Amino acid sequence: MNSFYFVFSQAIQTDSIIPIEIKEIIVIGKKAQVSEKQSKPLTSIDDYLQKSPKVDMIKRGAYAWEPIINSMPTERTLITIDGMRIFGACTDKMDPITSYIEVSNLSEATISSGQEGACFGSTIGGSIDLKRNQSSFGNQNWDFSLNSGFETNNKQKIIGTAFNYSDKLFYVDTDFMFRDAENYKAGGNQEILFSQFKKVNFSETIGYKLHTNKRIEASFIYDKATNIGYPALPMDVAVAEAIITALKFEYLPKVSPIKKWETKLYFNTISHKMDDTKRPFVAIHMDMPGWSKTYGYYTKINGNYKNHYFLVNANSFYNKSVAEMTMYPNNPNENPMFMYTWPDVSTFYNGFFIEDNYALNCHSSLKISVSLGSHINRVESQFGLESLQIFYPNMKARNNRILKSISSNYNYNLQGFEYGVGFGYGERAPSVSEGYGFYLFNSFDGFDNIGTPNLKNENSIEGNAFIGFKTKNGSAKIASSYFHISNYIVAKPSIDLIPMTIGANGVKIYSALDYATIFNISLVTEFNISKLLKWHSQLVYSRGKDIENVNLPFISPLSYLSSFVFSKGMFSAEFSVQGNANQDNFSAIYGEDKTPDYAILNSSFGYKLLFSKSKITMKLGVENILDTYYSTYSDWNNFPRQGRNIFINLNYSL
């Protein structure tokens, strides 16, 4: 069964009246054990996330897919790890935040739609908070886990270990994962060159109880991927490396409206080096490294007073993003050409978020949230500033913005019947690329892109609604959202500029349309056909247009997923079909073309062996059973996905 659930998450209960809050949680694993409910437990985080009806992935290769929430890419969304802000170092989005973690060190992903996701910063489309495994204090306990896997299509080898220990005063969680994959093959045994990758990930969390209600925690993630091929792009990646650290203090008052006070200091550094030396035909060799460093903190209070369940969060971060490009002419007598593609841009953000979830009665609640943020950009490189001043002579190095958001949601639940409606308003600042990018080549539409520093804040008015029911034998839910986005930021062609990239179609400059609209609707059902057999289905449809009635890019056509899960004792089996309808509402102006419909079949089988103090779990499966050759609307430059793939995942836990 797909491991995502709509759950009622609520504050600590003091009486029979509780607030109702619908959250979508993707359950990934618990401590050292990745989810046994997944047909393929050792798959990537990307694969887990795209099971959600709100999330899909833009794919440029077999590694590091870019999450899109409510049909919006990462400029308009917010992705955090345990509340920490992290920014990629690649101008081509080859390193989304999700690429620096592993399934084995995460417990769940919380997906919030629209302004419900504004707790840790400004967003338009929503947010994903990836929550890592964390032990708890208690009686002395330890466990050990060994994970291994193999996939036939790209000969991917997977090996990982995890160790957890806890007692009344101390706990430690340690996790290691290694992946090594060769080129994959599309349907019909067609090899997709430059789709290989190698990755190592290490994570550790240490907690210590200072007092009965005071605790401290230190955490560390090291992730390094090498020799990463991106078949949909003109360049690969030699190395992508991340160090993510944090120190957290937690206070649990014994008698107070405040139930939990959590403060975290964090630091992360990302380095990313694009590489074209392994490509056979390169017009001109380029080095394109990038770096991102972020310092931040948040202090968050959860509590309740009478029927009010509240959350207050003050958060701040300071980020520096710099990317370079050096071109080496074929004539050795000519000098290399250097420029900043991100001109050492710093971002200083200070935000305040408050949320009140008021229980109107035992079956309905009203949640209201408000946030206010100060967003300051500054170009630190004088050379980079002067480069942009060629196009914007009056441009200043510093740009100050104020970002606001507000949302309200009403939820009702009685005897399994539930519904809700919500409204929101939010703003976001332009991304570093949109505001300060310098000749960034977009291989999707073939244009070089130049940022515009004085763009207005993009702002969105949204509405959402859902209705559903739950019984002991199943559930069904229809959910929809609508976004009217003003000052919609896009890149538009300029006939006055000459491209820098050889063979480019021209130059685009980021500007803002008056508005664009995005509509999403989904139907999720789950029914127990019998005690042994369960059926799950999902239908999703989206539509996006700009002010001129032009289709927006990366908007999903009708997509579907249907699966049957059989389980009896230690044995389980799953059979599923998934696919898309034709993408007829494509956007040629943004580089899209029509993609045909497709459907693929998958199956998996699992078995558990129990011993006195240990357990072995095996999952064996076949993806794309019929070896279908296909490409979807979200596959960059129509590169095909994997053909038939046989996998085996083994987990030993002690």
Side-chain angles (χ1 to χ4, degrees):
M1 182 181 68
N2 302 306
S3 295
F4 68 88
Y5 308 93
F6 294 98
V7 303
F8 296 102
S9 67
Q10 57 206 31
I12 297 174
Q13 183 175 348
T14 58
D15 52 41
S16 61
I17 299 178
I18 58 176
I20 302 169
E21 180 182 4
I22 303 298
K23 288 280 189 180
E24 185 178 353
I25 308 292
I26 298 179
V27 178
I28 297 172
K30 183 179 181 181
K31 292 187 178 180
Q33 302 174 18
V34 291
S35 177
E36 296 176 2
K37 295 181 179 180
Q38 275 286 332
S39 59
K40 185 180 177 183
L42 295 180
T43 188
S44 66
I45 290 293
D46 306 328
D47 202 33
Y48 275 85
L49 291 175
Q50 68 178 357
K51 296 293 193 298
S52 163
K54 291 186 176 67
V55 179
D56 210 333
M57 296 285 169
I58 298 175
K59 302 172 181 66
R60 298 171 175 89
Y63 178 79
W65 303 340
E66 177 190 357
I68 52 179
I69 307 173
N70 283 324
S71 305
M72 299 183 221
T74 48
E75 294 90 351
R76 297 182 172 90
T77 61
L78 182 64
I79 300 176
T80 54
I81 299 177
D82 287 329
M84 296 182 289
R85 298 296 302 268
I86 304 169
F87 296 86
C90 177
T91 57
D92 281 354
K93 299 184 180 181
M94 294 175 173
D95 63 337
I97 309 310
T98 48
S99 67
Y100 292 115
I101 49 178
E102 268 292 345
V103 294
S104 52
N105 57 38
L106 287 183
S107 61
E108 64 184 41
T110 301
I111 300 172
S112 301
S113 179
Q115 295 312 308
E116 289 189 277
C119 179
F120 294 104
S122 61
T123 181
I124 297 293
S127 70
I128 300 174
D129 188 29
L130 302 166
K131 299 182 179 180
R132 289 189 294 165
N133 287 316
Q134 177 183 309
S135 293
S136 57
F137 300 107
N139 295 329
Q140 189 178 59
N141 180 62
W142 67 274
D143 57 70
F144 170 79
S145 178
L146 175 65
N147 297 301
S148 64
F150 180 75
E151 302 187 21
T152 60
N153 186 287
N154 59 356
K155 297 181 174 59
Q156 182 177 177
K157 284 78 68 178
I158 306 169
I159 186 75
T161 63
F163 174 78
N164 301 280
Y165 171 83
S166 63
D167 58 31
K168 294 180 179 179
L169 295 176
F170 174 80
Y171 64 78
V172 59
D173 299 319
T174 302
D175 179 89
F176 171 83
M177 184 70 81
F178 171 77
R179 297 176 185 265
D180 185 8
E182 300 177 14
N183 291 333
Y184 73 82
K185 295 179 176 63
N189 205 38
Q190 178 181 329
E191 183 178 6
I192 305 301
L193 300 177
F194 313 112
S195 60
Q196 77 290 335
F197 66 89
K198 184 180 292 186
K199 171 188 172 75
V200 62
N201 181 278
F202 174 78
S203 172
E204 185 166 36
T205 303
I206 299 173
Y208 182 73
K209 183 182 287 187
L210 301 171
H211 193 263
T212 55
N213 62 347
K214 299 181 182 70
R215 57 194 66 175
I216 192 169
E217 179 186 276
S219 62
F220 174 81
I221 296 176
Y222 175 74
D223 185 278
K224 185 176 182 178
T226 56
N227 188 27
I228 314 165
Y230 285 89
L233 299 174
M235 299 186 74
D236 302 312
V237 173
V239 61
E241 188 173 25
I243 297 174
I244 302 168
T245 62
L247 182 65
K248 182 176 75 173
F249 176 76
E250 194 172 275
Y251 174 49
L252 305 172
K254 294 181 180 179
V255 181
S256 171
I258 296 176
K259 302 305 177 184
K260 181 180 178 181
W261 188 351
E262 176 184 314
T263 299
K264 178 179 289 186
L265 303 174
Y266 60 88
F267 166 75
N268 54 77
T269 178
I270 313 291
S271 62
H272 191 274
K273 297 180 181 179
M274 284 189 268
D275 176 42
D276 63 6
T277 57
K278 296 182 179 180
R279 294 297 177 101
F281 305 105
V282 178
I284 183 169
H285 169 63
M286 293 184 290
D287 285 336
M288 296 185 66
W291 301 270
S292 171
K293 290 185 179 181
T294 306
Y295 305 81
Y297 86 91
Y298 69 79
T299 182
K300 183 171 63 172
I301 294 174
N302 294 85
N304 70 276
Y305 178 73
K306 295 184 178 179
N307 293 343
H308 296 269
Y309 294 74
F310 58 85
L311 165 64
V312 179
N313 184 34
N315 60 96
S316 177
F317 69 83
Y318 176 81
N319 170 261
K320 288 193 71 175
S321 295
V322 57
E324 304 172 351
M325 180 171 69
T326 304
M327 294 183 178
Y328 299 92
N330 296 323
N331 184 348
N333 296 321
E334 296 181 8
N335 293 325
M337 184 182 72
F338 172 88
M339 65 182 181
Y340 282 111
T341 49
W342 282 347
D344 199 3
V345 180
S346 67
T347 303
F348 185 41
Y349 177 86
N350 290 278
F352 182 79
F353 175 88
I354 185 169
E355 176 184 285
D356 180 22
N357 201 349
Y358 178 59
L360 300 171
N361 49 51
C362 61
H363 52 260
S364 63
S365 65
L366 177 65
K367 183 174 67 174
I368 297 175
S369 66
V370 178
S371 72
L372 184 67
S374 167
H375 184 281
I376 301 172
N377 282 133
R378 182 179 176 85
V379 179
E380 304 290 348
S381 165
Q382 185 63 31
F383 176 75
L385 176 63
E386 292 173 353
S387 298
L388 282 170
Q389 285 175 337
I390 296 173
F391 306 103
Y392 310 104
N394 299 321
M395 171 189 170
K396 296 181 180 179
R398 178 177 167 129
N399 195 329
N400 301 344
R401 300 173 185 269
I402 299 296
L403 304 174
K404 307 172 290 294
S405 81
I406 185 171
S407 71
S408 64
N409 293 83
Y410 173 80
N411 293 317
Y412 176 92
N413 181 280
L414 180 63
Q415 297 179 345
F417 173 72
E418 58 180 351
Y419 70 87
V421 293
F423 302 92
Y425 170 84
E427 300 174 346
R428 76 165 180 102
S431 67
V432 174
S433 291
E434 292 168 336
Y436 304 95
F438 192 76
Y439 282 100
L440 303 177
F441 179 65
N442 184 336
S443 63
F444 194 72
D445 59 15
F447 281 80
D448 283 334
N449 289 267
I450 296 173
T452 301
N454 60 351
L455 286 170
K456 294 181 180 179
N457 294 340
E458 190 175 87
N459 54 78
S460 170
I461 297 174
E462 66 178 79
N464 57 78
F466 72 87
I467 186 170
F469 70 88
K470 294 180 181 179
T471 68
K472 64 179 182 179
N473 291 321
S475 64
K477 182 175 183 177
I478 298 176
S480 64
S481 60
Y482 176 82
F483 297 84
H484 184 282
I485 307 172
S486 301
N487 300 320
Y488 187 83
I489 300 174
V490 296
K492 302 184 73 173
S494 172
I495 60 174
D496 300 324
L497 300 177
I498 300 174
M500 187 81 67
T501 303
I502 296 175
N505 296 326
V507 177
K508 286 185 176 181
I509 295 180
Y510 280 102
S511 59
L513 303 177
D514 284 350
Y515 70 86
T517 60
I518 296 176
F519 172 74
N520 306 286
I521 188 169
S522 64
L523 169 64
V524 178
T525 60
E526 188 172 286
F527 290 100
N528 299 318
I529 298 174
S530 70
K531 292 183 178 180
L532 304 179
L533 186 63
K534 182 176 292 186
W535 174 59
H536 171 85
S537 71
Q538 179 175 295
L539 288 171
V540 181
Y541 176 76
S542 300
R543 195 78 169 93
K545 292 184 176 183
D546 65 19
I547 186 177
E548 298 173 350
N549 210 35
V550 173
N551 295 319
L552 299 180
F554 299 113
I555 303 295
S556 174
L558 179 68
S559 66
Y560 55 89
L561 167 67
S562 181
S563 64
F564 292 90
V565 179
F566 174 86
S567 59
K568 183 178 182 181
M570 301 300 176
F571 176 78
S572 63
E574 179 176 348
F575 179 81
S576 67
V577 55
Q578 67 180 82
N580 281 354
N582 287 328
Q583 173 59 306
D584 294 320
N585 299 316
F586 61 92
S587 179
I589 193 172
Y590 294 108
E592 285 190 318
D593 56 15
K594 182 176 181 178
T595 52
D597 64 328
Y598 78 92
I600 60 170
L601 305 178
N602 310 299
S603 66
S604 68
F605 306 90
Y607 194 79
K608 289 187 289 187
L609 295 172
L610 301 179
F611 302 96
S612 59
K613 293 183 178 180
S614 60
K615 177 175 65 175
I616 295 177
T617 304
M618 181 185 72
K619 286 292 180 76
L620 175 68
V622 184
E623 299 172 307
N624 194 355
I625 296 173
L626 302 180
D627 199 31
T628 302
Y629 183 96
Y630 72 105
S631 178
T632 80
Y633 79 99
S634 62
D635 294 311
W636 200 263
N637 286 331
N638 296 327
F639 267 77
R641 299 197 187 182
Q642 279 193 357
R644 184 184 299 113
N645 180 43
I646 301 172
F647 68 87
I648 182 170
N649 288 177
L650 293 173
N651 172 268
Y652 170 78
S653 58
L654 179 64

